[in-house]
Amino acid sequence: AQSVTQPDIHITVSEGASLELRCNYSYGATPYLFWYVQSPGQGLQLLLKYFSGDTLVQGIKGFEAEFKRSQSSFNLRKPSVHWSDAAEYFCAVVVYNQGGKLIFGQGTELSVKP
Amino acid sequence: GAGVSQSPSNKVTEKGKDVELRCDPISGHTALYWYRQSLGQGLEFLIYFQGNSAPDKSGLPSDRFSAERTGGSVSTLTIQRTQQEDSAVYLCASSLGILGVYNEQFFGPGTRLTVL
């Protein structure tokens, strides 16, 4: 069955430091992958997506992610974190033989310290 | 509208009561999804609608949950005889379609349901 794993429940980084959030997926075919961000009391906002082509994808707010098929990973990165990046981040895979529903990871909560 | 809207934003109800949650998708989006976000279960799929096709109800947790989509637009999620374990944030999303790039899902702000 398809699944997404985010190994880190909570991460704390200093403002200005680099960030990498891990995501591993299990999917039989070429996956279509997403990263969403959720600020407190808000809905989900799409950061970036991977459908095909270049394995390094750029998103909004300075985020990028790299698809590595050999490692079944789609890690999210940012070179310099801002205090406003504190939020919860969700990785998701689309299940195309089931109407495009999303399977989400458990989420990683990011805290940013001054 | 500019985005997906949901109402109410918050709903407090007593155990055993029925509740209705509403979702207005982005105009022109043919696919509509309901998800539930709870502390114990994370984000989980409930149901989706695509055009005039029969909905996929495979994620509904019990027969107390139902949903409809009228006129291919607005959707209502109904929970009958609510239980405390139904307390969660219910998120709605819509997309142009269900395949490829058309499946980018845009989420509403959610309805926070509290069952006392």
Side-chain angles (χ1 to χ4, degrees), chain B residues 4-116:
Chain B
V4 178
S5 61
Q6 293 185 245
S7 60
S9 55
N10 281 283
K11 177 72 177 178
V12 180
T13 190
E14 295 178 348
K15 178 181 174 182
K17 300 283 189 181
D18 298 351
V19 295
E20 286 189 350
L21 313 179
R22 177 187 168 104
C23 172
D24 283 88
I26 294 172
S27 177
H29 281 195
T30 64
L32 185 147
Y33 302 80
W34 283 98
Y35 297 87
R36 179 170 71 173
Q37 185 174 24
S38 56
L39 282 176
Q41 301 298 322
L43 271 159
E44 55 181 344
F45 164 80
L46 296 177
I47 185 171
Y48 90 89
F49 300 85
Q50 166 58 17
N52 296 319
S53 303
D56 177 347
K57 307 177 183 180
S58 61
L60 294 178
S62 78
D63 58 8
R64 296 185 296 103
F65 287 72
S66 63
E68 63 177 15
R69 188 178 185 191
T70 54
S73 182
V74 171
S75 176
T76 302
L77 177 68
T78 301
I79 309 173
Q80 295 178 308
R81 306 180 302 281
T82 52
Q83 304 294 312
Q84 288 183 332
E85 61 262 29
D86 300 334
S87 295
V89 176
Y90 290 82
L91 293 168
C92 176
S94 70
S95 63
L96 282 170
I98 63 172
L99 295 176
V101 297
Y102 300 106
N103 189 242
E104 179 176 335
Q105 295 178 31
F106 295 82
F107 282 80
T111 293
R112 180 176 297 277
L113 174 66
T114 303
V115 182
L116 302 176

